[in-house]
Amino acid sequence: MSMCYDLHSHSTASDGTLSPEQLVRHAADCGVQVLALTDHDETAGLARAAASAAQVGVDLVPGIELSVTWSHKTLHIVGLHIDPANALLREGIARLREFREWRGEEIARRLEKRGIGGALDGARRHASGDILSRTHFARFLVDAGISKDVRHVFRHFLVQGKPGYVPGQWASLEEAVGWIRDAGGLAVIAHPARYKLSAGRRRLLYGEFRELGGEGLEVVSGSHGPDDIRNQGQFARQYGLAASVGSDYHGPGQAYMEPGRLAPLPPGCTPVWETDSWRAADARHRDAHAAPCPVVPELSPCRG
Ligand code: AMP
Ligand code: MN
Ligand code: MN
Ligand code: MN
């Protein structure tokens, strides 16, 4: 029987609404067997998620979703099987967090000019971790009665050309892939159909990503329709990238879908969990977390 994988999700450590423990339990209830927690530029939820996963029998893949600026566009690169203690990764996400803080203040200043006050404090009230996201601003604007829902806020306030938009100054693609690899992980381009790239730019991105040592493409995503899945499956084969699957779950009633409710990979794709790098990273992770052999007096010692 095939396992149920969901390799992209968020907790309150970034812009999800469930705590790491609640997220893991909910994913287990939804039938997910292998779950990656991939908070935006943040690893603070991983230890708590791993502890809950051990209790409910879910295999927790330590992950992250890094914000990247590539050719004037924001892209998301998911890292799977990362070591959250890796120094280069820690340094990198500290820098992204600094930019997030400044950007949050700047978003609030721009909204203030449009007559919307108190957005920074309002957004912070929605953020339980150290990461301040546009999602937290969106939830504040809904609460304040300025928009009817989060989608509406993004469309009218937080995207390019709108009053609260601040251009990203995130990691370069090379940095993001480098940090993930240095931390022992596999780099995956998240929700690739969302970037609406021309064929030429797609060739450039996928080629560059592959050259840098990126390994996967999120062919099945909570934000992909059937055509996106078919197209990205074809690109994964074409560029020699493994295929990943992730709901991008953010909590009940939030974007994008419930954990584990994912379409199957198109035929001919190599699942990311069937690559040598996955197996090697998985084995390293298991070794690092193997429980020490208990020494029980009066019983024969453990073997092997
Ligand atoms: P940030 O990294 O702070 O710029 O925020 C990006 C996050 O905002 C994404 O991960 C999504 O969770 C959320 N987001 C982006 N666009 C939309 C949208 N149109 N509707 C709802 N949520 C969105
Ligand atoms: Mn998000
Ligand atoms: Mn994303
Ligand atoms: Mn995400």
Side-chain angles (χ1 to χ4, degrees), residues 8 10 40 65 76 190-191 194 248:
H8 187 151
H10 297 275
H40 298 285
E65 182 175 17
H76 287 170
H191 41 65
R194 291 235 295 264
D248 207 355

Side-chain angles (χ1 to χ4, degrees), residues 34-36 46-47 49-51 53 58-63 80-84 183-185 277-291:
V34 183
L35 175 74
L46 292 177
V58 163
D59 195 354
L60 196 274
V61 175
L80 299 173
H81 283 299
I82 50 147
D83 170 10
S277 327
W278 176 284
R279 289 195 191 98
D282 198 25
R284 268 199 305 279
H285 182 224
R286 276 171 212 286
D287 284 351
H289 292 268

Side-chain angles (χ1 to χ4, degrees), residues 47-241:
R48 288 166 57 187
S52 286
Q55 286 170 6
V56 297
V58 163
D59 195 354
L60 196 274
V61 175
I64 193 161
E65 182 175 17
L66 291 175
S67 309
V68 164
T69 303
W70 179 84
S71 182
H72 310 292
K73 237 179 148 57
T74 296
L75 306 180
H76 287 170
I77 303 293
V78 158
L80 299 173
H81 283 299
I82 50 147
D83 170 10
N86 177 270
L88 196 65
L89 178 68
R90 298 235 62 77
E91 229 175 83
I93 61 182
R95 195 184 94 207
L96 298 183
R97 192 189 325 251
E98 246 172 65
F99 171 67
R100 274 188 182 279
E101 276 306 304
W102 175 84
R103 184 192 65 162
E105 291 161 17
E106 186 60 24
I107 291 175
R109 276 192 289 271
R110 293 184 188 201
L111 292 174
E112 181 97 50
K113 282 192 200 143
R114 299 297 178 116
I116 301 168
L120 189 59
D121 286 345
R124 284 218 170 100
R125 277 198 296 276
H126 283 273
S128 19
D130 288 338
I131 287 292
L132 194 56
S133 160
R134 278 185 297 164
T135 314
H136 300 125
F137 281 91
R139 290 180 189 142
F140 160 70
L141 290 178
V142 173
D143 268 8
I146 291 159
S147 274
K148 65 177 191 314
D149 58 30
V150 163
R151 281 173 75 102
H152 184 273
V153 186
F154 272 91
R155 198 157 349 116
H156 295 276
F157 293 97
L158 298 178
V159 294
Q160 199 158 8
K162 299 298 169 184
Y165 176 72
V166 179
Q169 295 165 31
W170 306 111
S172 70
L173 185 65
E174 184 174 5
E175 286 173 322
V177 174
W179 301 342
I180 289 168
R181 285 168 59 86
D182 201 69
L186 287 80
V188 173
I189 300 178
H191 41 65
R194 291 235 295 264
Y195 310 129
K196 311 234 176 298
L197 297 168
S198 66
R201 298 236 295 158
R202 186 177 57 237
R203 251 196 314 276
L204 221 60
L205 172 65
Y206 292 12
E208 196 179 322
F209 178 70
R210 189 87 191 80
E211 294 242 306
L212 292 169
E215 295 185 72
L217 193 60
E218 203 172 71
V219 170
V220 175
S221 157
S223 58
H224 283 178
D227 287 350
D228 299 327
I229 294 174
R230 203 175 37 249
N231 292 336
Q232 298 299 330
Q234 192 194 318
F235 302 145
R237 292 192 298 271
Q238 194 177 323
Y239 287 88
L241 292 166

